[in-house]
Amino acid sequence: DAGITQSPRYKITETGRQVTLMCHQTWSHSYMFWYRQDLGHGLRLIYYSAAADITDKGEVPDGYVVSRSKTENFPLTLESATRSQTSVYFCASSVKTSGSGEQYFGPGTRLTVT
Amino acid sequence: QKEVEQDPGPLSVPEGAIVSLNCTYSNSAFQYFMWYRQYSRKGPELLMYTYSSGNKEDGRFTAQVDKSSKYISLFIRDSQPSDSATYLCAMSEWSGGGADGLTFGKGTHLIIQP
C-alpha cells in the first residue's frame, strides 16, 4: 500500500525557473492538499482540491498553480520560483468526504531556490 | 481568525515520564481536532483524531478537548525515546460541502531522555 508519494524528494532550482512538484495517492481520496512548512510559520495551506477538476486557494496561494485532471494526482507548479519559496512542501489527502477530517501526509519535497 | 497557539519547546523529559502537550485556539467554530507526530525530515503522521469535546485514548496516548476553554491536550504515558519528535496540533471547522484544510499549531519539539 503506497499511500501518498511525492517527487522529487529534493530539488534545487534557480530564481525565475518553473518547477513542478508531483503528488500521487493510491487511496482514491476525494480531497487533496498542498502545504508548505517553514520555521516560525509551521504548516500553511497553499491549495486544495475537492475532486478532479475542482481546486481552490488556501492561505498562501500566490506564486503557485495547481491542477487535478485525475483523482490520484495533484501537481503543484511554481511558475517563476523565488527565494521566498524555499521550503518543505507536503501533499496530503483526506479520507472524509467533507475534507474537514483527518488528513494523511506524504514524505515531503525539500525545495531550495537559489 | 484561525490562530492556533502551541509552545514550541523544546520539552525535555526523562524516559517513563508522563508528557503533556497543549494547544489553545481562538476560533470557536473548530470542531475537529487532531494530533500529528513528525520525525525529523519526515511527513506528519496522524496520531489522534477527535470530534468536539471529550477524551479519547489509544494505547499510551490520550487526547483531551475542552471547547469551552478552547484548549486541547495530548498526554503520553510511559514515554519512550522513540517518542522524541515534533508534535503538531491541528484543527478544522465543519464547512458543509467545502474544505479549507487544517489549521496547525507550530509544533512542540519533544525530547525523551533515556
Side-chain angles (χ1 to χ4, degrees):
Chain A
D1 184 355
I4 294 185
T5 56
Q6 294 183 235
S7 61
R9 295 294 314 281
Y10 301 90
K11 178 74 176 178
I12 300 174
T13 192
E14 295 176 342
T15 302
R17 298 252 188 189
Q18 183 180 81
V19 178
T20 296
L21 310 183
M22 304 302 293
C23 178
H24 175 78
Q25 54 111 348
T26 60
W27 294 312
S28 298
H29 288 171
S30 297
Y31 280 85
M32 295 186 74
F33 306 83
W34 275 106
Y35 293 88
R36 60 178 290 175
Q37 187 174 39
D38 305 285
L39 280 174
H41 290 282
L43 279 157
R44 293 180 290 175
L45 181 67
I46 304 171
Y47 269 96
Y48 67 93
S49 169
D53 298 321
I54 301 175
T55 62
D56 207 346
K57 297 177 180 179
E59 180 185 354
V60 289
D62 293 344
Y64 303 95
V65 174
V66 293
S67 62
R68 195 164 175 210
S69 58
K70 294 183 178 181
T71 300
E72 61 268 28
N73 296 324
F74 191 37
L76 176 74
T77 297
L78 288 66
E79 292 189 299
S80 178
T82 65
R83 289 195 180 88
S84 65
Q85 293 177 309
T86 293
S87 185
V88 182
Y89 291 85
F90 289 101
C91 179
S93 69
S94 176
V95 66
K96 296 291 187 183
T97 54
S98 72
S100 296
E102 63 268 36
Q103 295 177 14
Y104 297 88
F105 285 77
T109 294
R110 188 171 294 270
L111 176 68
T112 302
V113 183
T114 63
Chain B
Q1 186 179 1
K2 295 187 173 183
E3 189 174 59
V4 176
E5 298 290 338
Q6 186 175 10
D7 187 333
L11 175 63
S12 183
V13 300
E15 183 177 355
I18 296 175
V19 175
S20 173
L21 304 168
N22 310 294
C23 287
T24 61
Y25 62 94
S26 56
N27 184 353
S28 58
F30 284 143
Q31 296 194 59
Y32 298 85
F33 303 91
M34 283 139 271
W35 285 96
Y36 286 83
R37 177 175 62 195
Q38 186 175 23
Y39 292 114
S40 179
R41 294 184 174 265
K42 300 289 187 182
E45 170 195 9
L46 181 65
L47 273 180
M48 301 285 285
Y49 169 74
T50 56
Y51 170 68
S52 195
S53 287
N55 293 357
K56 185 174 183 178
E57 187 174 322
D58 184 1
R60 297 184 296 110
F61 298 90
T62 299
Q64 285 186 354
V65 175
D66 182 350
K67 290 189 68 180
S68 62
S69 301
K70 298 189 180 69
Y71 188 88
I72 69 171
S73 300
L74 178 71
F75 298 95
I76 307 174
R77 292 183 298 280
D78 187 24
S79 56
Q80 304 295 312
S82 59
D83 295 327
S84 297
T86 296
Y87 289 79
L88 306 166
C89 63
M91 46 200 78
S92 69
E93 305 174 26
W94 172 256
S95 54
D100 54 4
L102 296 173
T103 300
F104 283 85
K106 294 179 181 178
T108 298
H109 182 46
L110 175 65
I111 300 168
I112 308 297
Q113 301 168 336

